[in-house]
Amino acid sequence: MSGFTVLNPATGAALRDVELASIDQADAAIARAVRAQRTWAELAPVARADALRRFARVVEDHVEELAQLEVLEAGHPISSARWEASHVAQVLNYYAGAPERLIGQQIPVAGGLDVTYHDPYGVVGIIVPWNFPMTIAAWGFAPALAAGNAVVLKPAELTPLTAMRLGDLALEAGLPDGVFTVIPGAGPVVGERFVTHPDVRKVVFTGSTRVGTEVAAGCARELKPVTLELGGKSANIVFDDADLQAAAAAVPGSVFDNAGQDCCARSRLLVQRSVFDRFLELVEPAVAGWRVGDPNDEATEMGPLISAGQRDRVASYVDGANVAFRGSAPEGEGFWFAPTVVLAGRGDRIAKEEVFGPVVAVLPFDDEADAIALANDTVYGLAGSIWTRDLGRGIRVSRGVQSGVLSVNSHSSVRYTTPFGGMKASGLGRELGPDAAEHFTQTKNVFYATS
């Protein structure tokens, strides 16, 4: 067994050494999950529902503890971390309603009765990224458990602490041992084992498109279903008829939240040429006022990047770029990077690739058709925003932009009550929403002959 030292990104100081599981330990966890899943799936739907509600209540009782862990390991501002911990409980409560609603169909056929059932896959392997460790974990494990599956979850090496604590809380809530297991491990070891192990019947992966492609290829070889939530280079489109003051004030939150380490970040700001200069004049004070600092401060809006390596990667995109203006960030210890606005050309690397940091590339466009073409000029298609007072334009552009999650006159991306997922290189499948539990089942069709 090897280990990994979790660091506090705000200070660079060591937090905890975490043991990383071996392949043998991953196999043992999967074997326990197989045994536990059979009993879990046989429970009456109301019993599974009650168990998830108990889990939600225990999480609610530990929101502050989970939030403080998130501040320490991920550098999230405390106000954001509290929301994330509460979100886990909300997701559990929402999917606690699913077991009793996983109903099939009665289909009229000659000579008998045809009925469909939703059977769980069995064991689901979930691979979670470091940028939103709690929330993204819950998007997978809550509906998977509701559908009668057992879950083995691998958190990111950089941020395993909140997921590990959620595993403890599941046991405290009374979930049977083995139904929900968290095993820290390296991606090429534990993550790869989820893909290759014959008893893991579905994989859910959130992370980079590069790794997601490898996961998809491995699952294809095993004929194993996979859900992928991958990268993004989302556009924030501002038309000349928009409420420019409101659109400008919303820019920092659209791209600098979580220090830009968000696949939904609107990291391309597309502004109609006729208002381009005026809009940048409005954005500059909004960026200057974005509060970057100690994650424990209630007023902080943005913390550090996750690691020194991530900071260096983000800096490599800004080096030599045409920087329009910057915000401020602490100096000294920790992995800090100031919010940055860059004037970019359409072929520039910073306008094409996912930076995953607090950097936004600004580009002008001429008209509606040009805006749609520019927004679609990327391999990604996850999220995006459209700012206009024209309802018809909002509808036309939202239909024309190739992204899975769009918002008009806002930057909303994720609600647990609505489907979430991307197009093109941003992923496969959908998470969340009323049908998520069904995505963790297989439809069984049974014909009962009556004559």
Side-chain angles (χ1 to χ4, degrees):
M1 176 181 285
S2 61
F4 185 88
T5 301
V6 180
L7 303 181
N8 181 337
T11 65
L15 282 176
R16 189 186 304 178
D17 291 331
V18 174
E19 293 183 343
L20 300 180
S22 65
I23 288 179
D24 288 344
Q25 289 168 320
D27 284 352
I30 293 165
R32 288 194 300 273
V34 169
R35 294 190 294 272
Q37 188 272 331
R38 297 188 187 110
T39 303
W40 177 248
E42 289 172 356
L43 288 176
V46 67
R48 286 205 308 275
D50 286 344
L52 294 179
R53 291 189 182 99
R54 289 195 302 272
F55 190 4
R57 287 195 295 272
V58 171
V59 172
E60 288 168 351
D61 291 340
H62 291 80
V63 161
E64 188 64 24
E65 177 195 351
L66 290 165
Q68 294 293 341
L69 271 180
E70 194 86 319
V71 169
L72 288 172
E73 71 172 350
H76 292 187
I78 183 61
S79 58
S80 299
R82 288 188 183 117
W83 179 91
E84 291 160 29
S86 297
H87 181 81
V88 173
Q90 292 164 355
V91 171
L92 281 165
N93 271 321
Y94 181 71
Y95 288 108
E100 295 172 283
R101 293 173 174 81
L102 279 172
I103 56 176
Q105 293 178 302
Q106 176 188 326
I107 302 171
V109 292
L113 176 68
D114 200 275
V115 178
T116 63
Y117 301 90
H118 291 295
D119 284 356
Y121 278 106
V123 176
V124 175
I126 299 177
I127 304 170
V128 178
W130 49 258
N131 58 330
F132 291 103
M134 284 191 287
T135 55
I136 292 176
W139 300 351
F141 71 68
L145 292 172
N149 300 281
V151 169
V152 184
L153 185 144
K154 189 200 87 65
E157 294 95 311
L158 289 167
T159 56
L161 302 183
T162 50
M164 292 167 63
R165 186 62 181 132
L166 285 171
D168 295 338
L169 295 180
L171 293 175
E172 288 184 27
L175 263 68
D177 184 40
V179 167
F180 176 49
T181 305
V182 177
I183 50 170
V189 179
V190 175
E192 176 66 19
R193 192 58 179 143
F194 288 177
V195 172
T196 61
H197 198 295
D199 287 331
V200 176
R201 294 309 311 148
K202 178 172 180 171
V203 172
V204 177
F205 172 84
T206 303
S208 71
T209 298
R210 178 186 62 81
V211 177
T213 301
E214 296 173 2
V215 170
C219 287
R221 286 190 292 270
E222 302 292 328
L223 293 178
K224 185 177 299 189
V226 61
T227 298
L228 303 174
E229 200 275 281
L230 308 175
K233 192 68 177 175
S234 300
N236 180 11
I237 307 170
V238 181
F239 286 95
D240 59 6
D241 68 333
D243 182 338
L244 298 184
Q245 295 277 359
V251 165
S254 76
V255 66
F256 303 143
D257 182 58
N258 197 26
Q261 299 168 131
D262 182 351
C263 49
C264 291
R266 275 59 166 177
S267 56
R268 291 183 300 151
L269 177 56
L270 315 183
V271 184
Q272 194 153 15
R273 197 178 302 274
S274 57
V275 294
F276 188 85
D277 293 339
R278 172 58 181 155
F279 191 72
L280 285 183
E281 290 175 358
L282 295 171
V283 169
E284 186 168 6
V287 172
W290 188 250
R291 294 183 294 270
V292 183
D294 181 3
N296 288 294
D297 188 332
E298 299 281 351
T300 294
E301 294 172 296
M302 182 183 123
L305 292 168
I306 190 64
S307 67
Q310 186 66 13
R311 180 187 58 196
D312 294 344
R313 181 180 183 276
V314 173
S316 73
Y317 282 94
V318 176
D319 291 343
N322 184 7
V323 175
F325 45 85
R326 282 187 166 103
S328 60
E331 298 180 356
E333 300 298 325
F335 313 128
W336 301 96
F337 199 92
T340 303
V341 178
V342 172
L343 302 179
R346 297 192 179 198
D348 292 352
R349 175 175 172 241
I350 202 168
K352 294 283 190 179
E353 299 179 14
E354 185 177 39
V355 177
F356 224 59
V359 179
V360 60
V362 189
L363 301 96
F365 66 86
D366 293 316
D367 54 23
E368 191 175 304
D370 190 34
I372 293 171
L374 182 55
N376 289 337
D377 187 21
T378 171
V379 298
Y380 299 109
L382 184 57
S385 298
I386 301 154
W387 290 80
T388 177
R389 287 189 173 99
D390 185 332
L391 175 61
R393 169 178 278 169
I395 294 172
R396 290 191 301 272
V397 176
S398 64
R399 295 303 303 273
V401 174
Q402 298 165 350
S403 289
V405 183
L406 290 163
S407 56
V408 179
N409 296 327
S410 85
H411 296 302
S412 173
S413 292
V414 179
R415 293 183 178 88
Y416 55 81
T417 55
T418 59
F420 174 77
M423 299 178 177
K424 301 192 289 186
S426 287
L428 298 172
R430 292 293 181 267
E431 297 179 289
L432 300 175
D435 300 327
E438 288 188 18
H439 299 164
F440 288 96
T441 66
Q442 305 171 89
T443 299
K444 177 185 289 181
N445 178 59
V446 180
F447 172 70
Y448 298 92
T450 58
S451 61

